[in-house]
Amino acid sequence: AVRRDAPHGGYRPPRDANLIWGYHSVREALRAGRRKLMRLHASPAAAEKLGAEIAACGVPLDVKAPEAIDAM
């Protein structure tokens, strides 16, 4: 289930949005380029590892502590 009431820095994804999580799943979605990406939340370590892929897709990036991502 997706929490639609969770605070995402004032951002609420559309009801028809698909949320993808997990380093490998997100990496493959970034590399494939077939999805419309709206926003990316990443830990500092993941943001560093995926830097080239994130820069290439031009999606807004929100770097958060892993605990904050887990709470989403």
Side-chain angles (χ1 to χ4, degrees), residues 42-50 62-66 69:
S43 68
E48 184 176 336
K49 288 180 187 177
L50 295 171
D62 188 5
V63 178
K64 298 181 174 200
I69 294 172

Side-chain angles (χ1 to χ4, degrees), residues 2-69:
V2 175
R3 289 179 47 194
R4 296 283 174 198
D5 61 342
H8 298 284
Y11 173 79
R12 284 186 157 194
R15 289 227 176 261
D16 61 346
N18 293 304
L19 302 178
I20 302 171
W21 62 92
Y23 174 80
H24 297 285
S25 299
V26 170
R27 181 187 67 196
E28 292 309 313
L30 288 168
R31 288 180 178 175
R34 291 185 299 233
R35 297 177 186 267
K36 179 183 176 195
L37 303 175
M38 294 181 276
R39 182 169 295 230
L40 178 63
H41 301 276
S43 68
E48 184 176 336
K49 288 180 187 177
L50 295 171
E53 288 91 344
I54 293 169
C57 75
V59 68
L61 172 63
D62 188 5
V63 178
K64 298 181 174 200
E67 298 81 17
I69 294 172

